[in-house]
């Protein structure tokens, strides 16, 4: 199979081929994902979007693409201004603070850093330039210091949302303070208001509207036509519809080839959101549940199905992660204690079983990156490894190599087992070396019947979250799931 993705533009699953691949035979993907507005900590609904697109990106890398992944920070908008006023600080200080907090939480959740993470306020020139092109092409107008996109001049409006102009018009109103000609028109540039940050522009001082930053920054870093643009389903309308209108009105080229949207994380059946007040910040969730379990939870459903957040769901996810980590820890320990020639072990059969799982794993992700099915395959792999470990006193070196490789391959993409003690060698991990040496010292203390010392070592390791288990083959250790 090859990768297929559900494209919201065509409402179909389509085979994914990158533009550079078609045009220059280069395996390179341009991928833009709408990032957070940095006025507060992000919540675990937002985290769902960040985690699922992190996995899509990792999978594209895994199948051989160089992925140019751009995720913006919205660091100027009404919410930013409002919160800065509330906190008696500047918009710039607020943004700086919450960009740093975003990075901490994203890293804790195993979300890889984007290739570029542009901020709107650092791209005012590009934004003005994009608006100017839209004006030159007669799809925008100035109204008393504001600039609006003229939706009636853009017949394609509604391509993504799949609604025609009349239907959209019926639901739209002009709000107080807006100076637009038509209710569907949307703001590209807002004239300066007292106490708000403002920049010079050909239309007077002011600041960008929300939608324009993504069109401008996407073109700057990824070119006029990009392969993938993603976000949550709430962004389809108006944000992404407006992005298409702006970008295409500016360049005359198709803006995005694949539009991909994740469904909501729900809580008590409702969308988790800041405005409804029913949210749990990622920070609070990380303090309460293992970060790997949060990640596992988000990936245990297909990204286009809603998922309901419940504490039980998170606990189940934690036990799933533990099962996988235990399998990995057992494998690592057995590699040290059970390795040797074993003519009774049918290596060829094992190889072909793993090959089948390898294919199933890729088929699952190729099918519109079905992470839920991929996790299912990962469990089958763990079950097979556990069975082999249980049924054999000794296992050949190849068994360990194959098993560790397939777990590492799956986890490079999903990131639900965690790169820790088992992955590194003593030489490149001083902590691991220290733990191993304390375990050795404890074994010697026990031999010498110095139980005070051996208990002391066990307790001090436990306090650091390192759990020991004595087995006939020696002492096994693992890090507690945090
Ligand atoms: P925001 O900071 O609100 O623009 O959101 C950042 C990302 O999270 C966007 O892609 C949103 O569509 C997405 N998002 C917001 N709320 C939820 C939710 N409850 N479930 C899933 N994704 C969400
Ligand atoms: Zn955006």
């Amino acid at each position: 199979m090859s990768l297929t993705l559900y494209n919201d533009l065509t409402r179909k699953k389509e085979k994914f081929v990158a533009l550079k691949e078609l045009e220059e035979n280069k395996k390179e993907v341009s991928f833009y994902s709408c990032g957070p507005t940095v006025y507060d900590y992000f919540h675990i609904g937002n985290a769902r979007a960040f985690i699922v697109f992190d996995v899509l990106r990792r999978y594209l890398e895994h199948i051989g693409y160089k992925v140019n992944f751009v995720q913006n920070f919205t660091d100027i908008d009404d919410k930013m201004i409002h919160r800065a006023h509330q906190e008696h600080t500047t918009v710039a200080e607020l943004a700086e603070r919450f960009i740093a907090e975003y990075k901490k939480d994203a890293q804790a959740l195993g979300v890889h850093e984007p290739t570029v993470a542009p901020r709107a306020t650092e791209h005012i020139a590009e934004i003005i330039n994009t608006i100017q092109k839209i004006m030159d092409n007669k799809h925008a107008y100035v109204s008393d210091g504001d600039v609006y996109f003229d939706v009636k001049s853009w017949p394609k409006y509604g391509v993504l949302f799949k609604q025609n102009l009349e239907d959209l018009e019926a639901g739209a109103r002009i709000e107080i303070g807006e100076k637009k000609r038509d209710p569907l028109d949307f703001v590209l540039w807002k004239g300066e208001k007292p106490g708000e940050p403002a920049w010079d522009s050909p239309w007077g001082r002011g600041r960008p509207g929300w939608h324009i930053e993504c069109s401008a920054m996407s073109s700057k870093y990824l070119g006029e036509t990009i392969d993938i643009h993603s976000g949550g389903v709430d962004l389809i309308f108006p944000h992404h519809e407006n992005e298409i209108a702006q970008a295409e009105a500016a360049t005359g080229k198709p803006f995005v080839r694949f539009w991909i949207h994740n469904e909501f994380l729900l809580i008590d059946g409702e969308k988790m959101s800041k405005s409804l007040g029913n949210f749990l910040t990622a920070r609070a969730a990380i303090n309460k549940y293992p970060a790997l379990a949060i990640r596992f939870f988000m990936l245990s459903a297909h990204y286009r199905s809603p998922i309901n957040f419940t504490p039980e769901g998170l606990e189940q996810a934690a036990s799933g992660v533990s099962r996988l980590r235990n399998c990995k820890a057992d494998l690592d320990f057995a590699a040290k204690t059970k390795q040797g020639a074993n003519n009774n072990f049918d290596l060829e059969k094992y190889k072909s079983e793993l090959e089948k799982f390898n294919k199933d794993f890729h088929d699952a992700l190729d099918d519109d990156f079905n992470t839920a099915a991929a996790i299912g395959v990962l469990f089958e792999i763990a079950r097979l490894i556990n069975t082999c470990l249980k049924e054999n006193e000794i296992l050949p070196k190849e068994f360990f190599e194959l098993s560790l490789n397939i777990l590492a391959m799956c986890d490079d993409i999903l990131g639900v087992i965690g790169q820790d003690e088992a992955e590194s060698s003593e030489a490149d991990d001083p902590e691991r070396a220290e733990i191993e040496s304390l375990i050795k010292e404890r074994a010697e203390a026990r031999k010498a019947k110095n139980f005070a010392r051996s208990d002391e070592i066990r307790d001090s390791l436990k306090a650091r979250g390192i759990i020991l288990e004595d087995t006939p083959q020696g002492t096994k250790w693992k890090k507690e799931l945090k």
Side-chain angles (χ1 to χ4, degrees):
M1 241 164 99
S2 61
L3 178 61
T4 56
L5 294 174
Y6 184 87
N7 187 351
D8 276 307
L9 201 54
T10 55
R11 302 267 164 107
K12 281 200 306 250
K13 271 191 210 174
E14 289 176 46
K15 181 172 159 47
F16 178 79
V17 184
L19 191 60
K20 281 242 166 98
E21 216 171 353
L22 289 172
E23 290 180 346
E24 302 167 43
N25 208 15
K26 261 195 195 160
K27 286 208 83 172
E28 217 172 300
V29 177
S30 47
F31 188 163
Y32 187 98
S33 201
C34 291
T37 307
V38 282
Y39 70 108
D40 205 341
Y41 295 95
F42 65 88
H43 61 67
I44 55 171
N46 307 131
R48 181 176 192 192
F50 304 142
I51 292 169
V52 299
F53 298 121
D54 176 62
V55 172
L56 176 55
R57 175 216 188 157
R58 289 182 188 212
Y59 189 56
L60 288 162
E61 284 168 347
H62 171 75
I63 58 178
Y65 287 104
K66 174 175 185 284
V67 183
N68 295 313
F69 185 74
V70 176
Q71 184 181 286
N72 65 306
F73 286 116
T74 298
D75 61 351
I76 176 78
D77 81 340
D78 293 343
K79 283 183 282 194
M80 297 286 306
I81 293 170
H82 182 68
R83 181 60 62 89
H85 280 171
Q86 266 181 343
E87 294 196 6
H88 306 290
T89 185
T90 61
V91 168
E93 187 283 326
L94 187 75
E96 207 56 52
R97 177 152 39 105
F98 283 109
I99 285 173
E101 302 296 4
Y102 167 87
K103 287 184 180 169
K104 279 186 215 159
D105 291 337
Q107 191 189 19
L109 292 171
V111 173
H112 287 172
E113 271 190 47
T115 321
V116 190
R119 306 180 188 190
T121 59
E122 290 174 358
H123 294 80
I124 300 293
E126 288 82 354
I127 288 170
I128 289 176
N129 194 17
T130 307
I131 299 175
Q132 189 60 57
K133 284 191 198 153
I134 303 171
M135 293 278 284
D136 294 346
N137 294 337
K138 310 254 179 304
H139 294 295
Y141 59 90
V142 182
S143 175
D144 194 16
D146 290 353
V147 182
Y148 290 95
F149 189 94
D150 179 1
V151 170
K152 286 258 171 65
S153 76
W154 190 252
K156 267 182 74 185
Y157 196 78
V159 274
L160 181 65
F161 191 45
K162 311 282 181 234
Q163 293 233 9
N164 61 37
L165 280 180
E166 287 91 82
D167 291 344
L168 287 171
E169 192 94 45
R173 287 181 291 143
I174 299 183
E175 302 287 337
I176 297 162
E178 291 182 319
K179 302 160 198 160
K180 53 195 184 185
R181 291 183 199 150
D182 186 277
L184 281 184
D185 294 349
F186 56 90
V187 72
L188 300 173
W189 187 260
K190 294 186 178 187
E192 181 174 19
K193 289 205 193 102
E196 292 188 0
W199 292 263
D200 288 329
S201 86
W203 319 286
R205 283 175 67 75
R207 63 181 168 97
W210 169 35
H211 314 293
I212 193 70
E213 68 181 70
C214 290
S215 303
M217 297 194 290
S218 171
S219 303
K220 167 160 184 182
Y221 292 102
L222 299 170
E224 291 176 339
T225 300
I226 69 164
D227 290 311
I228 302 175
H229 192 124
S230 68
V233 283
D234 54 334
L235 298 188
I236 293 178
F237 187 82
H239 185 53
H240 287 166
E241 191 66 54
N242 292 353
E243 279 191 40
I244 298 174
Q246 295 163 154
E248 298 192 357
T251 68
K253 308 248 177 67
F255 178 41
V256 171
R257 300 174 61 241
F258 283 79
W259 281 99
I260 315 270
H261 295 96
N262 66 281
E263 256 299 343
F264 290 137
L265 177 81
L266 307 174
I267 182 157
D268 301 324
E270 257 188 315
K271 177 195 173 190
M272 179 175 284
S273 78
K274 289 264 165 64
S275 55
L276 292 173
N278 60 355
F279 63 90
L280 178 67
T281 62
R283 181 66 54 89
I286 293 164
N287 287 332
K288 199 159 172 199
Y289 305 101
L292 290 169
I294 299 171
R295 203 173 155 97
F296 182 104
F297 178 76
M298 301 297 178
L299 300 176
S300 61
H302 187 263
Y303 76 98
R304 284 193 294 113
S305 310
I307 31 172
N308 210 13
F309 170 82
T310 58
E312 298 76 44
L314 254 291
E315 274 146 31
Q316 264 173 22
S319 91
V321 170
S322 288
R323 255 199 290 159
L324 296 171
R325 284 169 65 88
N326 286 343
C327 169
K328 176 89 191 305
D330 289 350
L331 193 59
D332 281 322
F333 184 65
K336 283 187 279 179
T337 55
K338 286 180 103 168
Q339 202 175 126
N342 177 353
N343 293 333
N344 292 327
F345 183 72
D346 189 344
L347 190 63
E348 287 313 309
K349 178 164 165 255
Y350 185 65
K351 250 190 217 167
S352 74
E353 284 170 321
L354 285 193
E355 262 158 35
K356 159 90 175 42
F357 285 143
N358 187 36
K359 180 176 179 307
D360 292 347
F361 184 81
H362 285 87
D363 283 352
L365 292 173
D366 280 344
D367 183 13
D368 193 22
F369 80 111
N370 188 341
T371 54
I375 287 183
V377 179
L378 185 51
F379 275 116
E380 290 188 57
I381 295 170
R383 198 171 307 130
L384 177 64
I385 293 172
N386 288 338
T387 307
C388 293
L389 289 176
K390 209 187 279 160
E391 290 177 354
N392 295 277
E393 279 306 314
I394 298 285
L395 283 158
K397 186 163 165 261
E398 293 83 349
F399 165 83
F400 293 103
E401 279 169 2
L402 290 166
S403 310
L404 286 168
N405 281 346
I406 196 161
L407 288 183
M409 182 276 290
C410 296
D411 208 44
D412 274 348
I413 298 161
L414 299 174
V416 293
I417 304 178
Q419 310 269 334
D420 50 24
E421 66 274 15
E423 232 99 311
S424 51
S425 71
E426 284 177 38
D428 59 33
D429 184 349
E431 191 196 7
R432 179 190 161 105
E434 188 213 341
I435 294 167
E436 298 275 355
S437 114
L438 282 169
I439 290 175
K440 213 184 267 165
E441 191 192 331
R442 173 171 169 269
E444 279 154 17
R446 271 157 55 113
K447 226 193 249 157
K449 303 222 174 328
N450 182 355
F451 296 114
R453 177 63 186 145
S454 72
D455 287 350
E456 185 184 41
I457 293 174
R458 173 190 279 269
D459 293 344
S460 75
L461 286 170
K462 181 150 193 288
R464 288 166 57 181
I466 289 149
I467 311 292
L468 306 186
E469 187 191 331
D470 295 314
T471 78
Q473 289 78 29
T475 302
K476 210 156 89 170
W477 64 274
K478 66 178 180 194
K479 272 192 188 158
E480 227 169 9
L481 186 57
K482 288 202 285 261

